[in-house]
Amino acid sequence: MYRLTDIKDIHIEITSKCQARCPMCPRRINGGMLNPLFTLGEIDIYTFKKWFSIEFVKQLDKILLCGNLGDPIIAQDCLEIIEYLRTTNTNVELVMHTNGSARTIEWWQRLAQYNVKVIFGIDGLADTHALYRVGTDYDKIIENATAFINMGGNAEWHMLAFEHNEHQIEKCKSISEQIGFKRFQLKHTSRFTSDRWHVLDDSGRTTHILRPTATSLGMVSQVQESVINPSSISCKAKQYKQFYVAADGTISPCCWLDFSWILPKQDSRIDYMDTVGIFPNLNKNTLEDIFSSDYFDQIEQTWNTKPLVECSRQCGNFDKCGEQFV
């Protein structure tokens, strides 16, 4: 598929911890109790330097700090890791996704010094934002983002659309421009399986119900129908010469193939176990060892016969309506 020396782009989850309780995140069961199927993990600065040498970091064009489970700003050594990356490679593009509802103003001002593009997930205004980003504070996020931007930070506002916040889209865009966000991006989620999603507390009690927009439901239907028979696989990981690292050290081509925590009965995990069944991990092997194995090749070889379910879903050759879809 590719060699380690080919890699130009990496996606790293430096922590699987997060203070938010987003109902559609697998960390918690519909926003309620923590999912018992995985353990929380974090990459400290010592481990980070051990896994990613100076020589390797220098070859990269882009580094994305995000993840399937955690928020990078929660990681204890987040700033130290960013400082290491920036001082090692002054030209690399650093991008971080966050809910932005943590840390001090001083922390955000310091972050702005490292030339990092920060993508804030802000899903509405003060009265609607936390209906999905449960446990976060809209006013705190705006305060942090403003401090970051005023110190020269490059920020984007990404908004997930729901029935409860779609009437605020234009207002959110206007506020983003006033504060100084470089870009406003509207997104839709593919995680609705019906016209409602029950949000739970720790006891399993429903606190409120999320509903999709008409656009979201229509897009989910189109994608599900298209996924049945994808005509080919156009692998984004291969195209951009990238790979994904989970907070527990597990390596995969992309975040969609990070099966270290997926529900055991999920169809894509069963398919992966039957076809590949390998979970390379930096706690056991070096990057050089992992890339010199046939792990990535085994995944690519499925594309010409029976592609992995997740490869078909995410990189099958079909039109996703030209919308931002997560």
Side-chain angles (χ1 to χ4, degrees):
M1 190 172 180
Y2 39 40
R3 298 170 300 177
L4 182 60
T5 53
D6 295 329
I7 296 299
K8 296 297 179 185
D9 185 342
I10 60 172
H11 178 179
I12 308 175
E13 178 184 62
I14 59 175
T15 184
S16 57
K17 302 173 184 177
C18 185
Q19 87 282 32
R21 305 165 66 104
C22 302
M24 294 179 176
C25 174
R27 288 185 69 256
R28 292 181 177 271
I29 300 175
N30 287 14
M33 65 177 290
L34 280 169
N35 192 324
L37 295 175
F38 64 86
T39 56
L40 299 179
E42 187 163 301
I43 305 172
D44 60 28
I45 184 62
Y46 172 80
T47 303
F48 194 94
K49 289 181 177 180
K50 178 182 175 182
W51 288 353
F52 308 110
S53 68
I54 290 175
E55 292 73 21
F56 175 70
V57 172
K58 284 183 176 179
Q59 80 181 46
L60 300 174
D61 293 333
K62 181 178 180 180
I63 301 170
L64 172 62
L65 299 181
C66 188
N68 285 322
L69 304 172
D71 191 309
I73 68 172
I74 301 300
Q76 179 176 337
D77 293 342
C78 179
L79 274 182
E80 288 76 9
I81 288 171
I82 288 174
E83 181 179 28
Y84 169 67
L85 294 172
R86 175 54 68 213
T87 56
T88 301
N89 188 336
T90 57
N91 295 318
V92 70
E93 180 184 3
L94 291 178
V95 182
M96 183 172 75
H97 284 253
T98 180
N99 62 55
S101 187
R103 299 292 189 174
T104 64
I105 288 178
E106 292 74 23
W107 189 94
W108 285 97
Q109 290 173 332
R110 182 180 169 193
L111 177 65
Q113 302 172 19
Y114 295 112
N115 188 22
V116 183
K117 179 166 72 175
V118 177
I119 297 173
F120 290 82
I122 311 175
D123 302 331
L125 301 176
D127 60 331
T128 60
H129 166 76
L131 291 176
Y132 180 71
R133 307 276 175 174
V134 179
T136 67
D137 186 314
Y138 173 84
D139 292 329
K140 173 65 173 171
I141 297 165
I142 295 300
E143 180 182 65
N144 290 341
T146 300
F148 176 72
I149 291 170
N150 286 346
M151 284 295 291
N154 177 5
E156 295 186 3
W157 178 322
H158 286 197
M159 177 180 178
L160 272 176
F162 297 93
E163 183 183 72
H164 65 260
N165 67 7
E166 64 178 331
H167 65 288
Q168 297 176 333
I169 293 172
E170 290 305 316
K171 180 65 174 178
C172 288
K173 182 178 180 182
S174 175
I175 292 174
S176 75
E177 293 170 350
Q178 293 172 21
I179 294 174
F181 284 88
K182 296 290 181 66
R183 185 179 182 223
F184 177 87
Q185 178 70 62
L186 183 66
K187 292 187 172 184
H188 300 270
T189 176
S190 62
R191 298 183 183 183
F192 277 102
T193 54
S194 68
D195 65 349
R196 67 194 64 192
W197 189 294
H198 288 258
V199 182
L200 308 180
D201 60 17
D202 282 332
S203 66
R205 181 180 63 88
T206 297
T207 59
H208 58 284
I209 294 174
L210 300 177
R211 299 181 187 278
T213 64
T215 300
S216 296
L217 272 183
M219 291 171 65
V220 169
S221 176
Q222 289 189 40
V223 171
Q224 289 175 339
E225 293 174 2
S226 300
V227 162
I228 298 174
N229 290 303
S231 59
S232 66
I233 302 298
S234 178
C235 176
K236 296 180 179 64
K238 183 176 182 180
Q239 177 184 352
Y240 296 114
K241 300 177 181 178
Q242 64 183 203
F243 66 89
Y244 175 80
V245 185
D248 68 352
T250 302
I251 294 282
S252 56
C254 65
C255 62
W256 299 105
L257 285 178
D258 173 28
F259 292 125
S260 60
W261 55 271
I262 299 293
L263 298 177
K265 294 183 179 180
Q266 186 165 330
D267 60 349
S268 58
R269 182 186 175 97
I270 295 171
D271 172 61
Y272 179 87
M273 290 297 295
D274 290 343
T275 307
V276 182
I278 301 173
F279 300 90
N281 190 289
L282 288 171
N283 285 304
K284 301 176 181 178
N285 303 100
T286 66
L287 277 177
E288 290 76 11
D289 290 339
I290 294 170
F291 274 85
S292 63
S293 71
D294 63 354
Y295 165 66
F296 292 101
D297 292 332
Q298 284 190 49
I299 293 174
E300 183 171 9
Q301 287 165 9
T302 70
W303 301 341
N304 297 321
T305 53
K306 184 183 177 182
L308 294 174
V309 170
E310 210 60 51
C311 291
S312 296
R313 285 176 177 163
Q314 306 304 331
C315 292
N317 188 17
F318 58 86
D319 183 14
K320 289 190 177 179
C321 315
E323 297 275 357
Q324 287 292 316
F325 206 58
V326 297

